[in-house]
Amino acid sequence: PPPTPASSHTAQLARMSQPPPFNLLSRRQAVLEASLVAARALLTPADGQEVGIWLLTAVNHWNLEQERLIVLSANALYRVKFNFLQQRVEKSTRLRLADFESITLGRVRYASQSIAEGLQTLSRGAPLARSGVRITLRGEEVNKWDRWNPRSQKMGERRLIFTSHEGGEGLALIEPLESVDDFQSALQRTLAGIEGLEVVPIVSDIVLDSVLGIPALVYNENRLGENRTRGSIAF
């Protein structure tokens, strides 16, 4: 019989290496397995059959990169903030697939010649562009206040951006768990199977809004959106 999502991920976890230089807690086998169990427990009968679960990097409307568990079922998508240190779900957001308006597939990047792109080039030696997916939901257009308000929840409920979750420089992804390509393929298949829903994928660069980009650059370069350890201290 074909492997189930659970057995597939278990096989991948069994091949994981020792904790990487970043010491991400999500790369520790027992911790990650506990997070998958907790995320799956959020599903209800109304959500339908589970399609898959992923650990991805979410990019919010202030371009902050944060690790999130994504649970996809036949009728819903859950975006889960999991505390890998305390091993508990801190927050979860349920989105109905029937409310999806569009998905965009392409490179996630800053606008060309923007200050954010320039700072990123200085930091990394070249602008960073990664494969990603943007999901847009039906609803009222988000106003300017919510676009600029870092505490606003409306942007996260209307538009989501995900990229692959990377363990650190030179470390391979845990396939398919951390792969945004695997996630978007499963999402497309699932949306295509919903009667009366037509979501045609758009292939285009996903250009991030940016003002100065300095806070996001500091936040992302230091991986503050992830639970990790430094020596004997976990945070």
Side-chain angles (χ1 to χ4, degrees), residues 33-82:
E33 286 179 332
S35 75
L36 301 182
V37 171
R40 285 193 173 96
L42 297 171
L43 291 173
T44 68
D47 296 323
Q49 184 177 2
E50 177 192 331
V51 174
I53 184 169
W54 294 265
L55 174 63
L56 300 176
T57 296
V59 184
N60 71 9
H61 66 294
W62 272 60
N63 303 333
L64 302 182
E65 299 175 3
Q66 301 162 325
E67 58 187 355
R68 294 290 183 263
L69 289 166
I70 308 301
V71 185
L72 178 64
S73 72
N75 300 317
L77 182 148
Y78 284 83
R79 181 185 55 190
V80 184
K81 180 181 180 181
F82 189 83

Side-chain angles (χ1 to χ4, degrees), residues 209-225:
D209 293 331
S210 63
V211 187
L212 294 179
I214 296 175
L217 183 67
V218 173
Y219 185 96
N220 296 336
E221 290 295 317
N222 289 280
R223 307 193 72 155
L224 299 181

Side-chain angles (χ1 to χ4, degrees), residues 34-192:
S35 75
L36 301 182
V37 171
R40 285 193 173 96
L42 297 171
L43 291 173
T44 68
D47 296 323
Q49 184 177 2
E50 177 192 331
V51 174
I53 184 169
W54 294 265
L55 174 63
L56 300 176
T57 296
V59 184
N60 71 9
H61 66 294
W62 272 60
N63 303 333
L64 302 182
E65 299 175 3
Q66 301 162 325
E67 58 187 355
R68 294 290 183 263
L69 289 166
I70 308 301
V71 185
L72 178 64
S73 72
N75 300 317
L77 182 148
Y78 284 83
R79 181 185 55 190
V80 184
K81 180 181 180 181
F82 189 83
N83 188 317
F84 290 95
L85 176 60
Q86 300 178 2
Q87 298 190 35
R88 64 182 178 87
V89 173
E90 289 192 346
K91 181 181 179 180
S92 67
T93 303
R94 180 184 185 274
L95 304 171
R96 294 194 324 140
L97 298 188
D99 293 332
F100 282 28
E101 182 177 69
S102 67
I103 57 174
T104 303
L105 315 173
R107 298 184 308 154
V108 178
R109 63 173 181 83
Y110 286 112
S112 298
Q113 299 182 346
S114 65
I115 295 177
E117 184 192 54
L119 291 171
Q120 193 177 70
T121 301
L122 287 174
S123 173
R124 302 188 181 219
L128 180 64
R130 296 164 294 173
S131 295
V133 56
R134 180 176 62 207
I135 301 169
T136 304
L137 283 80
R138 294 182 175 86
E140 295 182 3
E141 191 63 34
V142 178
N143 60 43
K144 291 183 178 180
W145 166 248
D146 288 312
R147 290 175 66 90
W148 290 88
N149 180 8
R151 295 185 177 274
S152 173
Q153 301 297 315
K154 292 184 179 180
M155 282 294 291
E157 296 171 355
R158 178 86 167 81
R159 184 175 300 170
L160 304 88
I161 298 175
F162 299 112
T163 66
S164 293
H165 182 266
E166 300 177 354
E169 186 176 355
L171 294 173
L173 296 179
I174 304 173
E175 296 278 4
L177 184 67
E178 295 180 315
S179 170
V180 74
D181 292 333
D182 186 78
F183 164 69
Q184 61 93 358
S185 295
L187 178 61
Q188 287 188 67
R189 291 193 302 269
T190 305
L191 293 174

